[in-house]
Amino acid sequence: MNTADLGLPVDVPSTALFTDQYELTMLRAALKAGTAERRSVFEVFTRRLPNGRRYGVVAGTGRVLDAVENFRFDTGVLGFLRERDIVDEETLRWLADYRFSGDIWGYPEGEVYFPGSPIMRVEGSFAECVLLETVILSILNHDSAIAAAASRMASAAGGRPLIEMGARRTHELAAVAAARAAYVGGFATTSDLAAGFRYGIPTVGTSAHAFTLLHDRERDAFQAQVDTLGRGTTLLVDTYDVAEAVRTAVEVAGPELGAVRIDSGDLLLVAHRVRQQLDELGATGTKIIVTSDLDEYAIASLAAAPVDAYGVGTQLVTGSGHPTSSMVYKLVARAESADPKAPLLPVAKKSSGGKTSIGGRKWAARRLDAEGVAEAEVVGTGPVPAELADRQLLVQLVKGGEVVAREPLDVTRDRHIAARANLPLSAVQLSRGEPVIPTEYVHGRSGSQSGTPSAPGRPLPQEPGIL
């Protein structure tokens, strides 16, 4: 199963080498030691949010599912590994038949998370799980960083639409992933056609300054654009003199002109002047779109301006100063032997410098106050407390190697809006601060308990109590 199952036209290529060499050398040594088939549990989490951020946003889950399905070692890849002497023949034979056959649980895409949240849990043999570390972290760290920046910008925009337009500011493939993550975080459209083609995101775009400069007169450029794209198009009005351009634009397109775009100058001042001029010219329905190195702070500063939409590029695709989410993928439990019935033993790294981890296979739930607002992220081992049974966050994504929870992007986008709305109001403040709710740890005995899914959006399989 892949993106084509949603009616989308592009499959994901093999992801087998989207990994670090030491994943394969660990596999080689584990096969030789007889420990490769020990049942294991890996968890993805972050120890801290980026400085000043109040919450994180889970994004990239759908891409992770595609990557796991397409993690295959074909003849060419095996030949490369053999030529470099990275693994031996026994390991090559094992890799040739590789198919992930375990289970994956995780926060559903679009959900928010906090330090210590078990964002994703991968279960199976050590051998099959360890190979997925790099590609899973690569996707989640990038996409969640972009989605978090997008979410902050969407909050600052106060309901005004946002256009993702950062393709020229990042790697060409990262641009497609960034557009997808931005859509999950609240953006409405993208300028990147590859993102529209692969993921069905609405695309927009009209003209750049080069089109105006191509023509002998600004009027000629506007006329050509209106003749081709219609009166509802967006005309770029800051190539020369803004006031003159607005006057010309309305003369050419009439009061039916769709929008004007401002890409430079004091946007707050210019937007007010342009709005007044448009209204005086009778173009009261013409919208104003602003671009020019915007971030969440610049967007917030324009809250009182007569702006109808924002276009954001560089700051979005670089995570607005935080291009990674600092997520890690750690072994938290493993069996004492290869026997499928062997019990899981909690394991954890102990080190100085803030890199310790907590062992044990975990559940997570979000406790609400009397008003239904989130007050704590509760992470635990053992049975789930009865009062949290219907607030569990992890859902099953892969069962026995088969994807069971692929979703349309609109579902993940709606889920994020709902999840953010359930946080305390201070979550959307742009001032620096600690995570908006604390993470609490609960340690318990083994047991089992089940509940119902709490994530908004399409129902997904729900996390049982931890064994």
Side-chain angles (χ1 to χ4, degrees):
M1 186 180 292
N2 50 48
T3 52
D5 292 301
L6 293 179
L8 304 179
V10 180
D11 292 345
V12 177
S14 170
T15 53
L17 291 184
F18 291 172
T19 191
D20 292 305
Q21 179 169 313
Y22 79 170
E23 313 290 10
L24 297 181
T25 54
M26 282 192 288
L27 169 65
R28 177 179 180 176
L31 287 171
K32 185 174 183 179
T35 54
E37 296 306 316
R38 287 187 175 186
R39 189 160 58 104
S40 300
V41 179
F42 287 83
E43 289 178 351
V44 176
F45 63 93
T46 184
R47 296 183 177 95
R48 63 192 66 84
L49 296 179
N51 187 32
R53 296 289 170 89
R54 314 301 298 275
Y55 62 92
V57 180
V58 178
T61 307
R63 296 207 309 120
V64 167
L65 300 180
D66 289 339
V68 171
E69 284 188 328
N70 289 278
F71 206 91
R72 305 284 187 269
F73 293 83
D74 58 24
T75 302
V77 170
L78 294 171
F80 166 79
L81 297 175
R82 179 181 289 109
E83 177 185 340
R84 297 293 182 92
D85 195 28
I86 294 171
V87 295
D88 57 10
E89 290 299 321
E90 177 189 359
T91 308
L92 287 170
R93 288 192 296 272
W94 190 94
L95 292 173
D97 295 326
Y98 179 83
R99 300 290 187 275
F100 180 73
S101 63
D103 298 334
I104 298 178
W105 294 78
Y107 280 38
E109 190 161 19
E111 183 57 83
V112 297
Y113 70 87
F114 300 91
S117 297
I119 297 163
M120 186 169 286
R121 193 177 72 223
V122 182
E123 304 183 33
S125 70
F126 175 85
E128 62 180 342
C129 294
V130 75
L131 293 182
L132 300 177
E133 175 181 6
T134 304
V135 69
I136 287 177
L137 288 179
S138 176
I139 293 171
L140 292 181
N141 268 314
H142 173 268
D143 290 21
S144 296
I146 305 305
S151 178
R152 285 163 60 86
M153 293 174 188
S155 294
R160 297 170 179 174
L162 292 156
I163 306 163
E164 186 282 314
M165 47 195 305
R168 64 190 61 192
R169 300 293 190 232
T170 189
H171 184 280
E172 66 273 17
L173 297 182
V176 181
R180 183 188 182 281
Y183 191 73
V184 172
F187 273 57
T189 55
T190 179
S191 66
D192 188 9
L193 291 178
F197 182 62
R198 181 182 290 274
Y199 296 117
I201 301 170
T203 58
V204 295
T206 51
S207 66
H209 293 101
F211 185 74
T212 300
L213 296 170
L214 170 68
H215 293 81
D216 297 333
R217 300 183 304 165
E218 191 170 45
R219 177 181 295 273
D220 296 337
F222 288 174
Q223 189 67 62
Q225 185 173 329
V226 169
D227 288 347
T228 304
L229 301 178
R231 297 178 185 273
T233 191
T234 299
L235 296 177
L236 181 59
V237 295
D238 73 324
T239 305
Y240 304 118
D241 180 80
V242 173
E244 180 61 29
V246 171
R247 185 178 305 109
T248 302
V250 176
E251 288 177 358
V252 169
E256 300 82 15
L257 174 62
V260 295
R261 178 163 74 93
I262 307 167
D263 189 50
S264 60
D266 183 337
L267 296 179
L268 179 62
L269 176 63
V270 175
H272 277 287
R273 289 178 174 174
V274 168
R275 182 72 271 160
Q276 180 179 354
Q277 186 180 10
L278 287 169
D279 291 346
E280 290 173 350
L281 293 170
T284 56
T286 299
K287 298 184 182 301
I288 297 175
I289 300 171
V290 297
T291 53
S292 183
D293 293 326
L294 298 178
D295 61 10
E296 58 265 49
Y297 300 101
I299 292 169
S301 73
L302 293 169
V307 172
D308 297 287
Y310 306 91
V312 189
T314 302
Q315 292 302 316
L316 175 66
V317 299
T318 57
S320 195
H322 298 289
T324 181
S325 303
S326 300
M327 295 178 187
V328 294
Y329 183 97
K330 295 298 181 183
L331 181 66
V332 296
R334 54 89 175 168
E336 58 187 3
S337 72
D339 184 346
K341 297 181 180 180
L344 287 173
L345 305 175
V347 294
K349 176 181 178 180
K350 294 182 179 180
S351 66
S352 59
K355 285 194 172 185
T356 57
S357 57
I358 298 175
R361 187 167 171 259
K362 301 174 193 70
W363 52 264
R366 191 160 299 144
R367 192 173 67 238
L368 308 181
D369 65 16
E371 303 299 322
V373 177
E375 66 177 10
E377 191 88 337
V378 185
V379 176
T381 58
V384 182
E387 65 274 16
L388 295 175
D390 63 349
R391 296 301 308 169
Q392 294 181 71
L393 292 163
L394 280 87
V395 298
Q396 188 153 27
L397 304 171
V398 176
K399 183 177 182 180
E402 297 295 325
V403 173
V404 296
R406 187 172 273 110
E407 302 177 294
L409 271 184
D410 284 338
V411 171
T412 68
R413 192 169 183 267
D414 291 344
R415 177 181 290 117
H416 176 62
I417 293 172
R420 189 177 63 203
N422 283 335
L423 296 177
L425 288 176
S426 57
V428 298
Q429 292 178 349
L430 296 182
S431 57
R432 294 186 180 276
E434 297 300 316
V436 70
I437 61 174
T439 303
E440 299 177 358
Y441 292 95
V442 177
H443 302 283
R445 296 178 297 103
S446 296
S448 63
Q449 187 171 338
S450 61
T452 55
S454 60
R458 192 179 69 180
L460 296 172
Q462 208 255 308
E463 163 75 318
I466 303 304
L467 297 177

